[in-house]
Amino acid sequence: MKYHDNIVELGALLPDYMGFIFWEKSSRYFDGQIPDLPKSIKKTGVFVNETIENIVKKVNQHDLQAVQLHGKESVAFCGELRKSLLKNIEIIKVFSILDTFDFAVLEPFESVCDYFLFDTKGKLPGGNGTTFDWKVLQQYPSSKPFFLSGGIGLEELEAVNEILKTDLPVRAIDVNSKFEIEPGLKNISLCNDAIHHIATIKQ
């Protein structure tokens, strides 16, 4: 999210999380002030290879409830960040997948992260608008809940439905580029359709 009025409009739909990118190279880079949002929405800061000091600064400045680490952050880094943040701040570590993935790399992160996020490996650290082969997730060995991301649009929601019917511990469906008018500006009507569709699946 990037624009004040658009943030307020989307907030009225009550998504569980709302993301704000604090990576300056991103076309969705956020440098404004987050408007007041319903308390149920977890404001999430997205960071790429940022320092712990700057992450903590943004968390405090914007009263964030979650941080998403989209770079090459190590287990040690996540552990130090965990110590530097209040315990109720969620840490979401992103891992990029294409057609294969070595799930063994996740185990050391389990004790220092609250959730994983699986995105499509692409030229950018997210927002590439393409999906990865979700069959890879059948090999997921952990009970740690994860976010499913990567090029998800309305046309992918039926396939998402099939994943949600499995025993995989899906925490959230992360949508972005396919619901945009331009980078950082969301199509409220499409977002509303997605939220209602996913809510129906949950029932």
Side-chain angles (χ1 to χ4, degrees):
M1 302 303 296
K2 189 173 178 179
Y3 302 101
H4 182 281
D5 291 350
N6 194 229
I7 293 168
V8 172
E9 282 188 279
L10 188 57
L13 301 182
L14 300 178
D16 297 311
Y17 292 81
M18 191 179 292
F20 301 90
I21 295 179
F22 296 107
W23 184 52
E24 292 187 9
K25 294 181 182 180
S26 173
S27 58
R28 302 176 181 90
Y29 175 63
F30 183 80
D31 63 353
Q33 192 63 37
I34 300 175
D36 289 336
L37 291 169
K39 298 296 184 184
S40 64
I41 299 173
K42 294 184 178 181
K43 294 176 288 185
T44 305
V46 181
F47 301 93
V48 180
N49 300 323
E50 187 54 88
T51 65
I52 289 175
E53 180 182 6
N54 283 341
I55 292 174
V56 172
K57 180 179 178 182
K58 291 295 185 183
V59 167
N60 293 334
Q61 178 184 348
H62 296 284
D63 187 28
L64 303 178
Q65 285 78 50
V67 298
Q68 186 183 122
L69 303 177
H70 227 299
K72 297 180 180 179
E73 297 86 6
S74 66
V75 175
F77 180 94
C78 294
E80 287 302 313
L81 179 61
R82 172 81 287 158
K83 293 175 184 177
S84 302
L85 293 171
L86 295 175
K87 288 185 178 180
N88 61 341
I89 306 295
E90 296 177 2
I91 296 178
I92 306 160
K93 181 69 185 86
V94 178
F95 295 89
S96 298
I97 299 176
L98 198 52
D99 297 320
T100 62
F101 185 72
D102 179 9
F103 286 102
V105 305
L106 302 177
E107 186 176 358
F109 286 91
E110 294 214 12
S111 62
V112 291
C113 299
D114 296 287
Y115 305 107
F116 298 136
L117 184 150
F118 298 125
D119 198 2
T120 307
K121 199 169 195 175
K123 292 181 179 179
L124 298 171
N128 292 288
T130 55
T131 58
F132 61 91
D133 185 355
W134 292 346
K135 291 180 182 177
V136 174
L137 296 174
Q138 295 173 2
Q139 305 165 31
Y140 186 63
S142 173
S143 59
K144 175 76 70 176
F146 64 83
F147 288 51
L148 180 62
S149 187
I152 297 174
L154 289 179
E155 60 274 19
E156 280 75 37
L157 291 184
E158 288 305 320
V160 168
N161 186 10
E162 294 306 309
I163 289 180
L164 294 179
K165 289 178 181 177
T166 71
D167 292 331
L168 287 168
V170 180
R171 164 69 175 177
I173 307 301
D174 184 305
V175 302
N176 189 13
S177 56
K178 287 192 175 180
F179 291 86
E180 288 183 324
I181 298 167
E182 63 181 59
L185 181 66
K186 298 300 182 288
N187 182 315
I188 300 301
S189 177
L190 287 181
C191 291
N192 184 52
D193 289 346
I195 288 173
H196 278 87
H197 183 96
I198 294 169
T200 301
I201 293 172
K202 287 180 178 180
Q203 292 172 2

